[in-house]
């Protein structure tokens, strides 16, 4: 077992760390008010190869493995966890478009995504629910050499600012469930598309929202993979994105811990530093321990992926544990700062609001635990009555 990093990994980690600490961290608070990601910042990150480093060089990436991509996500999200959405969505688009899109489509889009010139959202959730995604209802009806889309997608990260969406739509019968779902790459400036952002409590720069499709025509060549294979594709992509999300939320929790320790040494109560009270330091020590363990789980899962080994259960473990742990850690840091922790002057409240969204986004803790159970005991863990 080797926990060391190669010289190349250290160099990339250092480049990401510098960008994150010097460019992202100072603007974290201000970006919340902007309500959207600055395209110049995206291009800057793209030029450094920090958005989708795992893509091969022909598609605009750095050709690195999953572990190295994880190191970069962690560094970037230390400065601004919301910028990690670019990386997670980029990784999902890279997996789905790269594996299932027509090679011409992948050649056209992936370098633009990796370069920070295009933003591609992922459209799965609908107003009726996101957990039971296999029964989605947005319809794609064949009409000559195109499909016509009608329906609404809800809760889509970057809905208000994305250039395109990888959209999951029903091409088969309702009764076909997951087997009737196909994926398409849809331009969001197409006639018939409208969108609106939600008034979220956190992650405001991401602009989560709804997208409506009213008779939107999409060429059949924009279908990703075979008809009826869309659901399987997104589920394979989730095995990657769920681990990256783990690192995306552990990083700001670590940032809060790193800021809280020195405060415990400086702040005095009853004539001594509060660091001398074990009631103050033991909770922080416990969170340091759990974050170290959760980080190892993430990197081991990425390593399994890099080896081509099964990692669905491990990815689901990352997805339920890391956001909860990040929320609990940041909350403890906020409390350690006392009354000043409750102000907007300190970043803990913003981090707390931001990471909380990822307790839900990309699948809740319940569905993640169902996946772990299914991987251990089989489909009996997730079998429901037929509709
Ligand atoms: C910050 C954020 C970003 C997001 N980004 C995207 C995105 O980019 N693209 C996208 O498509 N979606 C996105 N989502 C939507 C997200 O994936 C869904 O919200 C999520 O899958 C849950 O769906 P739901 O909100 O409709 O809850 P529901 O499915 O209605 O579930 C409600 C509650 O019931 C629980 N529940 C449901 N079924 C079961 C069960 N069988 N057993 C136990 N508990 C159950 C759920 O865990 C949940 O707590 C995002 C959400 C958030 C908050």
């Amino acid at each position: 077992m080797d926990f060391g990093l190669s010289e190349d990994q250290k160099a990339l980690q250092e480049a990401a760390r510098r960008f994150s600490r010097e460019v992202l961290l100072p603007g974290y608070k201000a970006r919340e008010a902007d309500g959207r990601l600055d395209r110049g910042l995206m291009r800057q990150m793209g030029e450094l190869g920090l958005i989708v480093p795992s893509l091969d060089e022909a598609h605009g990436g750095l050709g690195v493995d999953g572990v190295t991509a994880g190191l970069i996500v962690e560094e970037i999200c230390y400065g601004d966890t919301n910028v990690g959405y670019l990386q997670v969505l980029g990784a999902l688009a890279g997996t789905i478009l790269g594996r299932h899109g027509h090679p011409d489509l992948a050649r056209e889009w992936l370098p633009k995504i990796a370069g920070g010139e295009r933003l591609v959202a992922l459209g799965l959730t609908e107003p009726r629910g996101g957990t039971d995604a296999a029964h989605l209802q947005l319809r794609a009806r064949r009409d000559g050499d195109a499909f016509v889309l009608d329906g609404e997608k809800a809760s889509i990260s970057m809905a208000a600012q994305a250039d395109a969406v990888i959209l999951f739509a029903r091409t088969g019968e309702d009764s076909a469930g997951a087997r009737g779902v196909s994926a398409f790459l849809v331009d969001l400036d197409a006639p018939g598309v409208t969108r609106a952002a939600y008034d979220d409590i956190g992650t405001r720069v991401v602009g989560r929202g709804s997208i409506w499709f009213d008779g939107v025509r999409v060429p059949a060549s924009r279908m990703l993979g075979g008809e009826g294979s869309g659901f399987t594709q997104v589920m394979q992509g989730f095995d990657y994105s769920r681990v990256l999300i783990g690192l995306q939320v552990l990083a700001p929790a670590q940032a809060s811990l790193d800021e809280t320790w020195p405060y415990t040494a400086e702040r005095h109560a009853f004539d001594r530093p509060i660091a001398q009270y074990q009631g103050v330091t033991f909770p922080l020590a416990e969170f340091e321990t759990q974050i170290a363990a959760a980080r190892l789980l993430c990197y081991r899962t990425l390593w399994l992926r890099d080896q081509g080994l099964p990692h669905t259960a491990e990815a689901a473990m990352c997805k339920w544990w890391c956001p909860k742990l990040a929320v609990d850690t940041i909350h403890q840091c906020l409390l350690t700062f006392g009354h000043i922790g409750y102000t907007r002057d300190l970043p803990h409240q913003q981090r707390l609001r931001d990471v909380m969204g990822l307790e839900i986004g990309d699948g809740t803790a319940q569905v993640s635990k169902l996946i772990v159970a299914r991987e251990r005991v089989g489909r009996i863990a997730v079998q429901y009555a037929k509709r």
Side-chain angles (χ1 to χ4, degrees):
M1 211 177 286
D2 180 3
F3 291 104
L5 299 180
S6 70
E7 289 309 313
D8 284 352
Q9 285 173 321
K10 283 185 202 161
L12 277 171
Q13 189 183 39
E14 182 51 34
R17 180 171 301 168
R18 210 174 317 118
F19 182 78
S20 181
R21 310 283 167 110
E22 292 171 12
V23 180
L24 297 180
L25 191 59
Y28 177 51
K29 185 176 174 185
R31 269 190 296 281
E32 175 158 55
D34 292 349
R36 59 191 302 133
L37 272 167
D38 176 58
R39 291 282 168 143
L41 184 80
M42 277 172 53
R43 278 192 290 273
Q44 220 182 327
M45 259 183 88
E47 276 161 23
L48 292 168
L50 301 175
I51 298 180
V52 207
S54 55
L55 283 176
D56 55 44
E57 289 179 31
H59 288 115
L62 302 175
V64 301
D65 60 11
V67 168
T68 312
L71 292 169
I72 294 174
V73 167
E74 198 184 350
E75 289 301 336
I76 290 299
C77 295
Y78 191 98
D80 187 341
T81 184
N82 297 322
V83 173
Y85 276 77
L86 272 183
Q87 300 172 304
V88 172
L89 286 172
L92 270 169
T95 308
I96 298 169
L97 259 172
R99 285 188 190 163
H100 307 287
H102 188 279
D104 291 344
L105 206 57
R107 262 195 301 274
E108 180 191 345
W109 279 83
L110 291 179
K112 291 179 183 160
I113 296 169
E117 290 162 32
R118 290 285 183 282
L119 197 44
V120 176
L122 186 103
L124 185 64
T125 304
E126 297 187 351
R128 58 175 285 282
T131 307
D132 185 10
H135 291 94
L136 61 83
Q137 289 175 340
L138 188 145
R139 192 45 69 201
R141 181 175 45 80
R142 183 96 201 198
D143 182 22
D145 59 358
F147 282 83
V148 180
L149 307 171
D150 282 292
E152 177 185 349
K153 287 291 171 187
S155 188
I156 309 305
S157 298
M158 308 282 186
Q161 56 187 315
D163 302 291
V165 61
I166 294 178
L167 184 80
F168 297 86
R170 184 155 298 285
T171 45
E173 295 301 315
D174 286 346
S175 56
R179 288 186 305 280
V181 175
S182 305
F184 300 88
L185 180 68
V186 185
D187 291 327
L188 287 174
D189 59 1
V193 174
T194 47
R195 36 195 170 153
Y198 302 158
D199 186 12
D200 277 348
I201 60 165
T203 311
R204 295 186 66 86
V205 69
V206 165
R208 190 175 65 104
S210 280
I211 311 178
W212 291 269
F213 299 83
D214 184 8
V216 175
R217 288 184 74 82
V218 53
S221 60
R222 288 290 194 98
M223 184 183 271
L224 307 173
E227 192 165 331
S229 66
F231 194 72
T232 322
Q233 291 164 21
V234 75
M235 288 305 146
Q236 286 165 356
F238 278 161
D239 280 351
Y240 187 30
S241 63
R242 285 177 175 153
V243 199
L244 297 182
I245 287 174
L247 294 166
Q248 182 186 359
V249 296
L250 292 180
Q254 186 67 59
S256 279
L257 275 172
D258 291 350
E259 292 159 13
T260 305
W261 283 114
Y263 183 74
T264 65
E266 287 157 17
R267 181 76 174 177
H268 283 63
F270 301 97
D271 288 333
R272 58 178 65 184
I274 59 171
Q276 289 187 5
Y277 299 116
Q278 292 167 351
V280 172
T281 55
F282 279 15
L284 298 178
E286 286 165 17
F287 284 123
E288 280 283 0
T289 312
Q290 292 174 49
I291 289 211
R295 184 184 291 118
L296 283 181
L297 174 65
C298 292
Y299 283 116
R300 179 169 174 274
T301 307
L302 289 171
W303 178 85
L304 287 171
R305 179 181 185 274
D306 289 341
Q307 308 308 309
L309 294 169
H311 55 285
T312 298
E314 288 78 4
M317 291 176 200
C318 295
K319 180 61 194 55
W320 82 257
W321 189 27
C322 299
K324 173 162 179 23
L325 179 57
V327 164
D328 292 346
T329 304
I330 297 168
H331 183 221
Q332 187 62 43
C333 292
L334 185 154
L335 297 178
T336 306
F337 275 87
H339 76 92
I340 197 78
Y342 193 60
T343 67
R344 289 185 193 270
D345 294 336
L346 294 190
H348 311 296
Q349 46 74 35
Q350 187 183 350
R351 291 190 187 125
L352 189 59
R353 290 184 283 109
D354 288 349
V355 301
M356 201 183 282
L358 287 171
E359 288 195 285
I360 306 167
D362 222 70
T364 62
Q366 286 96 331
V367 82
S368 305
K369 290 175 191 175
L370 279 175
I371 293 168
V372 177
R374 185 195 63 199
E375 292 296 303
R376 292 293 180 260
V377 77
R379 293 203 64 78
I380 193 166
V382 291
Q383 227 134 35
Y384 300 112
K386 286 230 166 9
R387 285 164 232 224

